[in-house]
Amino acid sequence: MPQRSLMGVLILLVLFSPLGVDIYLPSFTTIIEYFNTTADKVQYTLSLFILSMGLGQLAAGPLTDRFGRRPIAMAGIVMYMTSSLLILLCQTIDQLIVLRMLQGASACCTTTVAFAVVRDRLPPRDAAQAYSYLNGALNIAPALAPSLGGALAAAFSWQANFVFLALFALASLVLVTVKLPETRPDVTSQRPLGVLASYRELLGHRTFVLYSLCCMGAMSVILSYVSFAPQVLISNMGISTTTFALLFGANALVIMAGSFAAGRSMFLLGESGCMIIGSLMMLTGATLMAGGYWLDMQTAWSFMVPVMVACCGFAWLLGAATSRALADFPHIAGTASALLVCIQMLGAALVSILAQASPFAHRLTLAILMLVMAVFACLVTATGKTQSDNRLVDPVTS
């Protein structure tokens, strides 16, 4: 099967989670009125979606190693489609919250399969390139989904967003059925379901832990930016919500462009080279952010330019760090992929919560996070550079 065709299917699989997060955001106010509820209750439909997706990884990974990639991907898609359609029948906000949690658990299946298939089929440096492309595709949804969701809600109703998600799931199910091969290696299929033993192996592996923490740190910067941006840009600097949406979308496109640039540069620079470039970008973003804060610059660009530089660094870091974390686990690629995403998502969410409680100004807190992330990634890259950077052939697949 051509690699380009495979990547097209995998991109669809990773889009389930960001579409589920972003497409209905413009309808929050409408949903509050529809169910006669509070903003906090509607916020649970988002936060519990993310929580169930993060925790669900711990079950989805071993299941893909036990039963194969295709069946778990297809089961997740069917569950996602079913929960999307059931949302149309919701009479209370509590029903919506429960179905959103089911959607989150469904999305974790498709994400886990996408990352596991890359590890199954590609040697390390090709895999790093593929992870960069997948991470780039993940940012298409934040850039475009809110506009699509707003248009659907305006033309029909907020429920139209979930009709779209159900149709997207149906189309993806057809393509997965036709185009996605079973890629689980024989060494995995012969392995008993030793879930706890697999997780102990992963958590006891220094390379996996360090590079997973790199992914978590990079994601922490993004989540903290998303949390701080409304208050910094709208409340403090007074920009309009329309301008905010345009800046938010522009930054998502920057991440997407950075991810594809990193992917194309992987064979030239190697994983370590891409991580060093990403760290330097993150360090530059931290310096610019701190400088803008100390000079008391109160323009949108004094916040967004450092963010865009740092987010581009995030894009360069994430693909290479993901590849390094998963490289040594072909026998439990699904479990390893799932634990990596779980650490990345839940750890980043915790760091973001702690950042919100910081006594420092938001811009200074964000600058500190960027600095810490840049230094940590540099140290990890320096200690692990000799292990796999020159490895062009996967010993398992050769």
Side-chain angles (χ1 to χ4, degrees), residues 32 42 54 156 178 186 214 273 297 304 338:
I32 292 171
V42 175
F156 302 102
V178 174
D186 291 338
C214 280
M297 299 173 67
M304 287 306 301

Side-chain angles (χ1 to χ4, degrees), residues 156 324 335 388:
F156 302 102
R324 286 286 186 87
T335 303
S388 61

Side-chain angles (χ1 to χ4, degrees), residues 13-340:
L13 292 179
V14 300
L15 286 178
F16 277 84
S17 54
L19 278 176
V21 169
D22 293 295
I23 195 168
Y24 82 124
L25 293 181
S27 299
F28 264 32
T29 302
T30 305
I31 293 173
I32 292 171
E33 295 172 355
Y34 184 88
F35 290 111
N36 190 27
T37 187
T38 64
D40 289 341
K41 276 276 194 176
V42 175
Q43 184 64 34
Y44 285 143
T45 66
L46 178 60
S47 58
L48 292 180
F49 175 96
I50 295 173
L51 178 64
S52 65
M53 189 170 69
L55 293 177
Q57 303 286 342
L58 300 178
L63 288 173
T64 64
D65 285 336
R66 179 68 171 178
F67 299 107
R69 317 310 189 206
R70 274 171 54 90
I72 299 305
M74 294 170 71
I77 293 171
V78 169
M79 190 162 62
Y80 192 95
M81 179 170 60
T82 302
S83 56
S84 298
L85 293 174
L86 288 175
I87 284 174
L88 306 180
L89 306 177
C90 285
Q91 299 298 312
T92 68
I93 188 63
D94 291 330
Q95 292 173 347
L96 179 61
I97 290 171
V98 170
L99 289 171
R100 286 288 292 165
M101 292 178 67
L102 183 60
Q103 267 194 324
S106 309
C108 79
C109 296
T110 60
T111 303
T112 298
V113 168
F115 280 79
V117 168
V118 171
R119 179 61 192 86
D120 292 341
R121 291 295 293 265
L122 300 176
R125 195 164 292 183
D126 287 336
Q129 185 181 48
Y131 292 133
S132 292
Y133 290 155
L134 291 180
N135 288 319
L138 279 170
N139 289 281
I140 295 174
L144 302 179
S147 298
L148 172 62
L152 287 172
F156 302 102
S157 66
W158 66 267
Q159 290 96 331
N161 294 314
F162 295 96
V163 173
F164 175 85
L165 293 180
L167 293 174
F168 175 80
L170 178 60
S172 299
L173 181 63
V174 172
L175 286 172
V176 165
T177 302
V178 174
K179 294 289 188 180
L180 183 68
E182 180 53 66
T183 64
R184 183 187 60 176
D186 291 338
V187 67
T188 302
S189 61
Q190 295 169 1
R191 181 184 176 90
L193 186 61
V195 177
L196 294 180
S198 296
Y199 283 131
R200 281 197 300 269
E201 179 183 352
L202 290 164
L203 293 174
H205 194 283
R206 179 174 177 272
T207 299
F208 176 83
V209 171
L210 287 178
Y211 284 101
S212 294
L213 290 176
C214 280
C215 294
M216 185 200 78
M219 185 61 69
S220 299
V221 172
I222 301 299
L223 285 184
S224 297
Y225 145 69
V226 171
S227 299
F228 293 163
Q231 185 169 345
V232 172
L233 293 173
I234 297 176
S235 301
N236 298 347
M237 296 183 179
I239 72 167
S240 67
T241 54
T242 300
T243 302
F244 175 82
L246 290 173
L247 291 172
F248 193 86
N251 189 58
L253 293 175
V254 166
I255 299 175
M256 182 175 66
S259 297
F260 284 109
R264 294 182 67 87
S265 303
M266 194 64 63
F267 282 97
L268 178 63
L269 300 172
E271 294 163 343
S272 293
C274 288
M275 289 194 67
I276 291 297
I277 288 177
S279 300
L280 291 175
M281 289 183 181
M282 197 79 74
L283 182 60
T284 302
T287 303
L288 292 174
M289 183 70 75
Y293 169 75
W294 288 114
L295 293 173
D296 197 27
M297 299 173 67
Q298 295 296 320
T299 65
W301 290 114
S302 68
F303 178 76
M304 287 306 301
V305 169
V307 162
M308 288 179 175
V309 174
C311 286
C312 196
F314 156 84
W316 279 77
L317 279 166
L318 200 57
T322 300
S323 177
R324 286 286 186 87
L326 300 180
D328 295 328
F329 303 100
H331 56 294
I332 49 171
T335 303
S337 300
L339 184 58
L340 170 65

